[in-house]
Amino acid sequence: MANIKMKALRNPPVFRKIAFGSWSSAADPSVYGSLSIDMTRALEFIDKQSLKGHKITPTHLVGRAVSLALKARPELNAMIRCSRVWLRDEVTLFYQVNIPGPKGHEIERATLSGVTIEQADQKSVEQIAIELAQKAKAVREGTDKVITKNTAVFKYLPWSLCRIYLNFASWLIYGLNLNLTRLGLPNDPFGSVMITSVGGLGIDWGFAPLIPYTRVPLLISVGKVDKRPWVVADQVAVRPVLELGVTLDHRIIDGVHAAELGRMIKEYMADPS
Protein backbone atom coordinates (compact mmCIF):
# COMPACT_ATOMS: atom_id res chain seq x y z
CA MET A 1 0.00 0.00 0.00
CA ALA A 2 1.51 3.30 -1.09
CA ASN A 3 2.26 6.06 1.37
CA ILE A 4 0.50 9.41 1.04
CA LYS A 5 2.08 11.36 -1.78
CA MET A 6 3.38 14.67 -0.54
CA LYS A 7 6.28 17.05 -0.68
CA ALA A 8 7.69 19.63 1.67
CA LEU A 9 6.64 23.24 1.17
CA ARG A 10 9.57 25.12 -0.32
CA ASN A 11 10.38 28.67 0.79
CA PRO A 12 7.37 28.99 3.12
CA PRO A 13 6.39 32.51 4.19
CA VAL A 14 7.66 33.61 7.58
CA PHE A 15 4.10 33.65 8.92
CA ARG A 16 3.86 29.86 8.52
CA LYS A 17 6.88 29.33 10.74
CA ILE A 18 5.55 31.79 13.32
CA ALA A 19 2.17 30.01 13.30
CA PHE A 20 3.93 26.68 13.75
CA GLY A 21 5.67 28.05 16.81
CA SER A 22 2.50 29.60 18.23
CA TRP A 23 0.38 26.58 19.09
CA SER A 24 1.24 23.13 20.39
CA SER A 25 -2.37 22.01 20.98
CA ALA A 26 -5.96 23.16 20.78
CA ALA A 27 -6.27 23.44 24.57
CA ASP A 28 -6.86 27.06 25.51
CA PRO A 29 -9.29 29.29 27.48
CA SER A 30 -10.72 31.02 24.40
CA VAL A 31 -14.38 32.03 24.28
CA TYR A 32 -15.97 33.07 20.99
CA GLY A 33 -18.85 35.43 20.26
CA SER A 34 -20.12 37.79 17.59
CA LEU A 35 -21.56 41.30 17.39
CA SER A 36 -23.94 42.45 14.66
CA ILE A 37 -23.84 46.22 14.21
CA ASP A 38 -26.14 48.50 12.22
CA MET A 39 -23.68 50.68 10.29
CA THR A 40 -26.14 53.29 8.97
CA ARG A 41 -24.85 56.18 11.09
CA ALA A 42 -21.27 54.93 10.98
CA LEU A 43 -21.21 54.91 7.16
CA GLU A 44 -22.63 58.44 7.16
CA PHE A 45 -19.78 59.46 9.47
CA ILE A 46 -17.24 57.76 7.18
CA ASP A 47 -18.63 59.61 4.15
CA LYS A 48 -18.41 62.97 5.96
CA GLN A 49 -14.82 62.28 6.96
CA SER A 50 -14.01 61.31 3.38
CA LEU A 51 -15.17 64.74 2.21
CA LYS A 52 -12.70 66.24 4.68
CA GLY A 53 -9.89 64.14 3.20
CA HIS A 54 -9.76 61.53 5.97
CA LYS A 55 -9.74 57.89 4.86
CA ILE A 56 -11.72 56.14 7.59
CA THR A 57 -12.84 52.50 7.49
CA PRO A 58 -14.97 50.37 9.82
CA THR A 59 -11.74 48.83 11.13
CA HIS A 60 -10.59 52.24 12.36
CA LEU A 61 -13.94 52.83 14.03
CA VAL A 62 -13.74 49.45 15.78
CA GLY A 63 -10.30 50.36 17.09
CA ARG A 64 -11.56 53.65 18.47
CA ALA A 65 -14.62 51.97 19.98
CA VAL A 66 -12.70 49.23 21.80
CA SER A 67 -10.12 51.79 23.00
CA LEU A 68 -12.85 53.82 24.70
CA ALA A 69 -14.41 50.65 26.10
CA LEU A 70 -11.12 49.52 27.67
CA LYS A 71 -10.58 53.00 29.07
CA ALA A 72 -14.01 52.85 30.69
CA ARG A 73 -13.42 49.31 31.99
CA PRO A 74 -9.70 49.24 32.92
CA GLU A 75 -10.03 45.82 34.55
CA LEU A 76 -10.27 44.38 31.02
CA ASN A 77 -7.07 46.07 29.87
CA ALA A 78 -4.96 43.38 31.47
CA MET A 79 -2.57 40.48 30.95
CA ILE A 80 -1.57 37.30 32.77
CA ARG A 81 1.94 37.63 34.20
CA CYS A 82 3.57 35.43 36.84
CA SER A 83 0.24 33.65 37.44
CA ARG A 84 -1.43 36.95 38.34
CA VAL A 85 -3.57 39.48 36.49
CA TRP A 86 -1.76 42.75 35.82
CA LEU A 87 -3.56 45.89 34.65
CA ARG A 88 -2.09 48.05 31.91
CA ASP A 89 -1.73 51.82 32.34
CA GLU A 90 -2.41 52.55 28.66
CA VAL A 91 -4.58 51.21 25.85
CA THR A 92 -2.52 49.98 22.91
CA LEU A 93 -4.07 48.60 19.73
CA PHE A 94 -2.38 45.95 17.63
CA TYR A 95 -3.52 45.89 14.01
CA GLN A 96 -2.59 42.91 11.87
CA VAL A 97 -1.12 43.86 8.51
CA ASN A 98 -1.20 41.64 5.43
CA ILE A 99 2.01 41.69 3.38
CA PRO A 100 1.68 40.31 -0.18
CA GLY A 101 4.36 37.98 -1.44
CA PRO A 102 6.79 38.89 -4.25
CA LYS A 103 5.41 39.56 -7.71
CA GLY A 104 3.98 36.37 -9.17
CA HIS A 105 3.67 34.79 -5.71
CA GLU A 106 1.42 37.38 -4.00
CA ILE A 107 -0.89 34.81 -2.39
CA GLU A 108 1.12 31.71 -1.61
CA ARG A 109 4.01 33.67 -0.11
CA ALA A 110 1.95 36.37 1.58
CA THR A 111 2.62 36.84 5.27
CA LEU A 112 1.19 38.64 8.28
CA SER A 113 2.78 41.26 10.44
CA GLY A 114 1.36 44.01 12.60
CA VAL A 115 1.73 47.48 14.05
CA THR A 116 0.75 49.05 17.35
CA ILE A 117 -1.09 52.28 18.08
CA GLU A 118 -0.10 53.44 21.55
CA GLN A 119 -2.33 55.54 23.82
CA ALA A 120 -5.17 54.82 21.40
CA ASP A 121 -7.82 55.91 23.90
CA GLN A 122 -6.36 59.43 23.76
CA LYS A 123 -6.46 59.63 19.95
CA SER A 124 -9.30 60.46 17.59
CA VAL A 125 -10.34 57.98 14.92
CA GLU A 126 -8.66 60.24 12.34
CA GLN A 127 -5.38 60.10 14.25
CA ILE A 128 -5.64 56.32 14.54
CA ALA A 129 -6.26 56.02 10.78
CA ILE A 130 -3.32 58.26 9.85
CA GLU A 131 -0.87 56.53 12.20
CA LEU A 132 -2.00 53.07 11.10
CA ALA A 133 -1.60 53.96 7.41
CA GLN A 134 1.91 55.31 7.98
CA LYS A 135 3.07 52.33 10.03
CA ALA A 136 1.46 49.75 7.74
CA LYS A 137 3.19 51.33 4.75
CA ALA A 138 6.55 51.11 6.53
CA VAL A 139 5.98 47.43 7.28
CA ARG A 140 4.98 46.58 3.70
CA GLU A 141 7.92 48.51 2.25
CA GLY A 142 10.38 47.03 4.73
CA THR A 143 11.41 50.38 6.18
CA ASP A 144 10.32 49.49 9.72
CA LYS A 145 13.73 48.34 10.94
CA VAL A 146 12.56 46.61 14.13
CA ILE A 147 9.88 44.48 12.45
CA THR A 148 12.09 43.76 9.45
CA LYS A 149 14.92 42.62 11.72
CA ASN A 150 12.66 40.34 13.77
CA THR A 151 11.01 38.86 10.71
CA ALA A 152 14.42 38.08 9.23
CA VAL A 153 15.22 35.91 12.27
CA PHE A 154 12.54 33.40 11.25
CA LYS A 155 13.97 32.99 7.78
CA TYR A 156 16.96 31.20 9.27
CA LEU A 157 15.45 29.79 12.47
CA PRO A 158 14.77 26.02 12.33
CA TRP A 159 11.11 25.05 12.61
CA SER A 160 11.79 23.11 15.80
CA LEU A 161 13.10 26.27 17.53
CA CYS A 162 10.30 28.66 16.54
CA ARG A 163 8.13 27.91 19.58
CA ILE A 164 11.09 28.12 21.94
CA TYR A 165 12.14 31.48 20.51
CA LEU A 166 8.63 32.98 20.64
CA ASN A 167 7.93 31.82 24.18
CA PHE A 168 11.36 32.92 25.41
CA ALA A 169 10.95 36.39 23.89
CA SER A 170 7.47 36.66 25.44
CA TRP A 171 8.86 35.65 28.84
CA LEU A 172 11.55 38.32 28.63
CA ILE A 173 9.25 41.12 27.43
CA TYR A 174 6.08 40.28 29.34
CA GLY A 175 7.10 37.81 32.04
CA LEU A 176 10.09 39.82 33.27
CA ASN A 177 8.80 43.15 31.91
CA LEU A 178 12.12 43.98 30.27
CA ASN A 179 12.64 46.68 27.66
CA LEU A 180 14.71 45.01 24.94
CA THR A 181 14.47 47.64 22.23
CA ARG A 182 18.27 47.96 22.26
CA LEU A 183 18.43 44.32 21.19
CA GLY A 184 15.99 44.93 18.36
CA LEU A 185 12.93 43.52 20.11
CA PRO A 186 9.94 45.91 20.22
CA ASN A 187 8.64 46.96 23.61
CA ASP A 188 5.09 45.65 24.17
CA PRO A 189 4.76 44.39 20.58
CA PHE A 190 1.11 43.22 20.83
CA GLY A 191 -0.63 45.70 23.10
CA SER A 192 -4.03 45.45 24.79
CA VAL A 193 -6.19 44.11 21.97
CA MET A 194 -5.56 42.59 18.55
CA ILE A 195 -7.65 43.67 15.54
CA THR A 196 -7.71 41.97 12.15
CA SER A 197 -9.78 42.89 9.11
CA VAL A 198 -11.00 39.77 7.34
CA GLY A 199 -13.57 41.84 5.45
CA GLY A 200 -10.72 43.39 3.51
CA LEU A 201 -9.90 39.90 2.25
CA GLY A 202 -13.45 39.38 1.00
CA ILE A 203 -14.54 37.24 3.98
CA ASP A 204 -18.00 37.98 5.38
CA TRP A 205 -16.89 37.40 8.97
CA GLY A 206 -15.07 34.89 11.10
CA PHE A 207 -13.19 34.15 14.30
CA ALA A 208 -9.44 34.37 14.82
CA PRO A 209 -7.45 32.50 17.49
CA LEU A 210 -5.75 34.03 20.48
CA ILE A 211 -1.98 33.62 20.39
CA PRO A 212 -0.60 32.57 23.80
CA TYR A 213 2.76 34.39 23.75
CA THR A 214 1.14 37.75 22.88
CA ARG A 215 -0.59 37.89 26.31
CA VAL A 216 -3.51 39.65 24.54
CA PRO A 217 -6.87 38.80 26.18
CA LEU A 218 -9.07 40.13 23.37
CA LEU A 219 -9.06 39.73 19.59
CA ILE A 220 -11.59 41.30 17.22
CA SER A 221 -12.08 40.14 13.65
CA VAL A 222 -13.75 42.79 11.47
CA GLY A 223 -15.89 41.41 8.65
CA LYS A 224 -17.56 42.99 5.62
CA VAL A 225 -20.44 45.44 5.68
CA ASP A 226 -23.38 43.73 3.94
CA LYS A 227 -27.03 44.64 3.47
CA ARG A 228 -29.26 42.53 5.71
CA PRO A 229 -32.80 42.53 7.04
CA TRP A 230 -32.89 44.46 10.31
CA VAL A 231 -35.74 45.12 12.72
CA VAL A 232 -36.37 48.84 13.24
CA ALA A 233 -39.35 49.91 15.38
CA ASP A 234 -40.90 46.46 14.96
CA GLN A 235 -40.57 46.73 11.18
CA VAL A 236 -38.15 44.82 8.97
CA ALA A 237 -35.85 47.12 6.99
CA VAL A 238 -32.72 46.66 4.92
CA ARG A 239 -29.66 48.01 6.73
CA PRO A 240 -25.88 47.84 6.24
CA VAL A 241 -24.66 45.44 8.91
CA LEU A 242 -21.14 44.75 10.14
CA GLU A 243 -20.35 41.47 11.84
CA LEU A 244 -17.53 41.29 14.38
CA GLY A 245 -16.01 38.00 15.46
CA VAL A 246 -14.73 38.31 19.03
CA THR A 247 -12.30 35.96 20.77
CA LEU A 248 -11.53 36.52 24.43
CA ASP A 249 -9.45 34.98 27.18
CA HIS A 250 -11.91 33.65 29.75
CA ARG A 251 -9.29 33.95 32.49
CA ILE A 252 -9.62 37.75 32.25
CA ILE A 253 -12.94 38.45 30.54
CA ASP A 254 -16.11 36.63 31.61
CA GLY A 255 -19.66 36.79 30.26
CA VAL A 256 -20.63 39.92 32.20
CA HIS A 257 -17.53 41.74 30.99
CA ALA A 258 -18.11 40.58 27.41
CA ALA A 259 -21.70 41.85 27.45
CA GLU A 260 -20.62 45.26 28.76
CA LEU A 261 -17.79 45.45 26.24
CA GLY A 262 -20.18 44.62 23.41
CA ARG A 263 -22.68 47.22 24.60
CA MET A 264 -20.07 49.98 24.64
CA ILE A 265 -18.74 49.06 21.19
CA LYS A 266 -22.27 49.09 19.76
CA GLU A 267 -22.99 52.41 21.46
CA TYR A 268 -20.01 54.08 19.84
CA MET A 269 -20.59 52.52 16.40
CA ALA A 270 -24.22 53.70 16.50
CA ASP A 271 -23.01 57.32 16.44
CA PRO A 272 -19.23 57.81 16.00
CA SER A 273 -19.62 61.58 15.76
Side-chain angles (χ1 to χ4, degrees):
M1 191 174 186
N3 292 331
I4 299 173
K5 295 181 179 180
M6 63 181 72
K7 60 181 179 181
L9 177 64
R10 294 180 177 273
N11 300 318
V14 169
F15 169 70
R16 297 298 175 198
K17 297 182 75 173
I18 296 176
F20 182 83
S22 298
W23 297 279
S24 59
S25 72
D28 62 61
S30 298
V31 176
Y32 301 89
S34 63
L35 286 177
S36 299
I37 300 174
D38 181 354
M39 292 290 288
T40 302
R41 297 287 295 276
L43 292 182
E44 292 174 356
F45 174 80
I46 288 175
D47 289 341
K48 289 180 181 179
Q49 293 302 310
S50 178
L51 294 175
K52 297 178 181 179
H54 301 304
K55 186 177 180 181
I56 306 297
T57 70
T59 304
H60 299 134
L61 293 180
V62 170
R64 173 64 173 163
V66 73
S67 297
L68 295 176
L70 292 179
K71 181 180 180 180
R73 298 302 299 264
E75 71 272 20
L76 305 184
N77 187 20
M79 74 167 74
I80 302 293
R81 175 172 172 259
C82 300
S83 300
R84 294 179 58 188
V85 176
W86 293 73
L87 302 182
R88 292 174 170 273
D89 292 332
E90 301 177 352
V91 177
T92 300
L93 302 178
F94 177 89
Y95 279 99
Q96 291 189 347
V97 176
N98 182 51
I99 305 175
K103 189 174 181 179
H105 302 277
E106 290 86 356
I107 297 179
E108 66 267 27
R109 295 190 185 176
T111 188
L112 281 176
S113 186
V115 298
T116 56
I117 308 295
E118 298 177 354
Q119 298 181 333
D121 57 306
Q122 301 177 31
K123 297 177 179 176
S124 67
V125 67
E126 295 86 1
Q127 290 173 320
I128 290 174
I130 292 171
E131 186 174 343
L132 176 58
Q134 293 173 342
K135 290 187 174 182
K137 181 180 179 182
V139 170
R140 292 191 177 105
E141 295 179 351
T143 57
D144 187 309
K145 296 181 180 180
V146 175
I147 291 180
T148 301
K149 182 177 180 179
N150 278 278
T151 302
V153 171
F154 287 92
K155 292 182 179 179
Y156 308 102
L157 194 67
W159 288 72
S160 58
L161 296 181
C162 288
R163 184 173 297 119
I164 295 175
Y165 173 82
L166 290 166
N167 289 332
F168 182 65
S170 175
W171 177 69
L172 292 176
I173 295 172
Y174 292 118
L176 299 182
N177 199 23
L178 299 178
N179 188 332
L180 302 179
T181 52
R182 291 185 178 181
L183 300 180
L185 292 174
N187 189 38
D188 191 14
F190 302 106
S192 310
V193 56
M194 190 174 291
I195 301 173
T196 181
S197 176
V198 299
L201 302 175
I203 300 173
D204 292 339
W205 71 282
F207 297 110
L210 290 175
I211 305 172
Y213 57 79
T214 66
R215 311 290 178 101
V216 174
L218 177 65
L219 192 154
I220 299 178
S221 174
V222 184
K224 289 196 304 181
V225 177
D226 282 327
K227 291 184 178 180
R228 293 187 187 178
W230 196 262
V231 178
V232 181
D234 293 331
Q235 299 292 323
V236 177
V238 177
R239 290 295 179 92
V241 176
L242 174 68
E243 196 78 26
L244 301 181
V246 182
T247 310
L248 55 89
D249 187 335
H250 197 35
R251 297 174 300 174
I252 294 177
I253 306 175
D254 59 25
V256 175
H257 291 134
E260 181 69 4
L261 187 66
R263 183 193 64 78
M264 288 187 284
I265 291 175
K266 283 187 173 182
E267 189 176 85
Y268 173 81
M269 298 294 282
D271 188 8
S273 60

